[in-house]
Amino acid sequence: MTTRTQELQARWDAALMPNYGTPPVALSHGRGAEIWDVDGKHYLDLLGGIAVSALGHGHQAILEAVSRQVAVLAHTSNLYLHEPGVRLAEKLLELLGAAGRVFLCNSGTEANEAAFKIVRRRHPARPRIVAAENGFHGRSMGSLSVTGKPAIRQPFEPYGAQVTFVPYGDVTALRNAVDGDTAAVFLEPALGEGGVIFPPADYLCSARELCDATGAVFVLDEIQSGIGRTGHWFAHQRAGVRPDVITLAKGLGGGLPIGACVGLGEFGATFRRGDHGSTFGGNPVSCAAALAVIETIATEGLLENALKVGSALAVGIGDVEHELLTSASGVGLWLRIELAREVSAPVEAAARGAGFLVNAVQPNAIRLAPPLVLTTAQAQKFVHALPSILDAAS
Ligand code: PLP
């Protein structure tokens, strides 16, 4: 008998481009960190739509904010302003604790495109950008050019920027690469798509110092790490460093599409009138959702929850003894499970079979980026199931 999932997969294959392959699950609805597929199978969502669904699924605060906004005004274009956009920009600056200005857009890659253009405006004569090997900044031609994964970048060369890629976390390599010709240093506070890898404690501060010494713009991509993922509003706050430009998306909208490029200090005023724009960017509905996300993180204590549940999850996984499991690491609800062999794909599939959505982020590593509302009891369910998941993948 054909399941509803199989039927949808066949129609997907016929109607959608093959860039994603055929997804293994057809999701239907969710509540908090629990989610169901179209055939009624239940999963614990330990990936949150890749670090997006910060409040989980079906959160009342988002439902109310979006419904209220869509009922009165869903779109204005950028010819007219609206209060949710103003309030969101003010709120982001307040959380950043810094003066600056915000450009609102629809996605992470667009936030990075805006950052890229700020860099060009700032340093029109500097040819080079420094970025990290295994870094990820998006799929558009600008964002892709600074993405340090050759397999996804090289097929679309050439790009407009000259980019030097350095090993992530290596201060000496960064020092050797950044000089007076460097327009910008583009980094993530921890590699997300690269496998949830945090750099040494002094790495971001060293990048800041190098940018100060050379005049390069320090762009920090907080698209995956921002909005509470690490138990801090922004991961750079944990590292005690201040970038020049910060890009945000993913968790910001809690599932609604929104991105933001924040220029701190003078970098907020680099664009001249007409330099950049977006028809849908920062639309009132997505801004209302983002305001609801931020307010709920604060009122429900979700930064504290991310630290508490994240550390219980990491410790619990670390205590599991299995020949396939090497270690668990990460900060807040952003974890890497390191495997002894390149078996992440079968582990992901076995987890799915057991009712857990996780991500084979690297051949030897699993990523967890669950909703920030995950409870300790839910985390423990995964810890208890992990040995049999690993057995099934062996
Ligand atoms: N930057 C980082 C660090 C990301 O993790 C991603 C997406 O995974 C992006 C940029 C691109 O964001 P989007 O897919 O919203 O364009």
Side-chain angles (χ1 to χ4, degrees), residues 64-89:
E64 281 170 16
V66 165
S67 315
R68 207 180 311 121
Q69 188 59 47
V70 85
V72 293
L73 189 68
H75 178 73
T76 62
S77 87
N78 49 42
L79 298 176
Y80 311 101
L81 67 77
H82 52 82
E83 190 176 348
V86 176
R87 280 177 43 220
L88 179 60

Side-chain angles (χ1 to χ4, degrees), residues 55 58-68 288-289 292-293 295-296 300:
L55 305 189
H59 199 289
Q60 196 66 19
I62 296 186
L63 173 67
E64 281 170 16
V66 165
S67 315
R68 207 180 311 121
V293 167
E295 192 187 327
T296 306
E300 291 190 3

Side-chain angles (χ1 to χ4, degrees), residues 50-52 106-112 135-140 143 147 187-194 221-225 247-250 258-259 334 367:
I50 317 188
V52 166
N106 307 285
S107 68
T109 199
E110 285 181 39
N112 283 332
F136 185 84
H137 299 289
R139 302 290 198 139
S140 58
S143 298
T147 285
L187 291 174
E188 294 164 81
L191 295 179
E193 298 307 300
D221 178 336
E222 289 247 26
I223 286 160
Q224 191 159 151
S225 57
T247 52
L248 301 168
K250 285 194 177 277
I258 187 163
W334 202 24
R367 166 175 50 183

Side-chain angles (χ1 to χ4, degrees), residues 3-86:
T3 63
R4 180 100 177 96
T5 300
Q6 288 165 336
E7 182 219 319
L8 283 170
Q9 284 172 326
R11 286 166 55 196
W12 165 285
D13 283 345
L16 284 117
M17 289 191 186
N19 52 307
Y20 295 116
T22 312
V25 178
L27 292 170
S28 153
H29 63 284
R31 175 122 325 245
E34 320 271 333
I35 198 159
W36 287 262
D37 73 12
V38 292
D39 290 303
K41 182 171 165 62
H42 166 266
Y43 302 89
L44 183 63
D45 182 3
L46 294 174
L47 191 57
I50 317 188
V52 166
S53 307
L55 305 189
H57 307 284
H59 199 289
Q60 196 66 19
I62 296 186
L63 173 67
E64 281 170 16
V66 165
S67 315
R68 207 180 311 121
Q69 188 59 47
V70 85
V72 293
L73 189 68
H75 178 73
T76 62
S77 87
N78 49 42
L79 298 176
Y80 311 101
L81 67 77
H82 52 82
E83 190 176 348
V86 176

Side-chain angles (χ1 to χ4, degrees), residues 203-227:
Y203 186 60
L204 296 180
C205 290
S206 301
R208 173 72 277 171
E209 283 164 21
L210 285 166
C211 288
D212 286 341
T214 58
V217 183
F218 185 15
V219 180
L220 201 61
D221 178 336
E222 289 247 26
I223 286 160
Q224 191 159 151
S225 57
I227 314 295

Side-chain angles (χ1 to χ4, degrees), residues 83-390:
E83 190 176 348
V86 176
R87 280 177 43 220
L88 179 60
E90 289 170 347
K91 191 74 202 171
L92 288 174
L93 294 171
E94 181 193 318
L95 296 177
L96 286 161
R101 288 166 83 168
V102 179
F103 172 77
L104 294 171
C105 51
N106 307 285
S107 68
T109 199
E110 285 181 39
N112 283 332
E113 292 298 320
F116 220 122
K117 285 176 72 174
I118 289 173
V119 168
R120 270 284 158 84
R121 264 278 178 248
R122 171 74 175 205
H123 287 308
R126 291 196 186 191
R128 253 179 355 97
I129 287 179
V130 174
E133 287 171 9
N134 280 322
F136 185 84
H137 299 289
R139 302 290 198 139
S140 58
M141 293 301 273
S143 298
L144 192 54
S145 72
V146 289
T147 285
K149 294 185 160 198
I152 60 173
R153 186 190 66 249
Q154 282 171 349
F156 298 97
E157 288 176 346
Y159 300 101
Q162 287 173 35
V163 185
T164 303
F165 291 99
V166 292
Y168 187 72
D170 181 339
V171 174
T172 308
L174 201 58
R175 195 168 292 128
N176 291 337
V178 179
D179 60 22
D181 278 341
T182 307
V185 175
F186 257 83
L187 291 174
E188 294 164 81
L191 295 179
E193 298 307 300
V196 194
I197 294 176
F198 281 77
D202 63 343
Y203 186 60
L204 296 180
C205 290
S206 301
R208 173 72 277 171
E209 283 164 21
L210 285 166
C211 288
D212 286 341
T214 58
V217 183
F218 185 15
V219 180
L220 201 61
D221 178 336
E222 289 247 26
I223 286 160
Q224 191 159 151
S225 57
I227 314 295
R229 179 72 22 216
T230 64
H232 299 259
W233 282 110
F234 306 100
H236 70 267
Q237 293 172 330
R238 176 175 169 271
V241 69
R242 175 159 297 186
D244 297 317
V245 178
I246 297 159
T247 52
L248 301 168
K250 285 194 177 277
L252 178 59
L256 275 285
I258 187 163
C261 175
V262 186
L264 295 186
E266 61 189 293
F267 293 93
T270 309
F271 277 151
R272 303 168 201 162
R273 187 172 172 180
D275 267 356
H276 201 46
S278 162
T279 293
F280 294 118
N283 79 81
V285 179
S286 292
C287 288
L291 285 163
V293 167
I294 291 169
E295 192 187 327
T296 306
I297 289 175
T299 54
E300 291 190 3
L302 297 182
L303 299 182
E304 298 77 10
N305 192 64
L307 286 174
K308 184 186 80 178
V309 180
S311 99
L313 191 51
V315 169
I317 295 168
D319 284 347
V320 169
E321 286 189 14
H322 195 281
E323 50 115 11
L324 276 188
L325 183 68
T326 306
S327 62
S329 60
V331 179
L333 280 169
W334 202 24
L335 300 181
R336 169 189 179 87
I337 304 175
E338 175 114 5
L339 302 165
R341 298 197 294 277
E342 298 200 342
V343 289
S344 65
V347 169
E348 181 192 294
R352 206 162 48 236
F356 299 93
L357 296 183
V358 304
N359 169 238
V361 67
Q362 296 282 300
N364 67 338
I366 293 288
R367 166 175 50 183
L368 305 183
L372 306 182
V373 295
L374 189 79
T375 63
T376 307
Q378 288 171 326
Q380 288 308 335
K381 278 192 187 150
F382 178 67
V383 170
H384 291 138
L386 190 54
S388 59
I389 291 170
L390 294 172

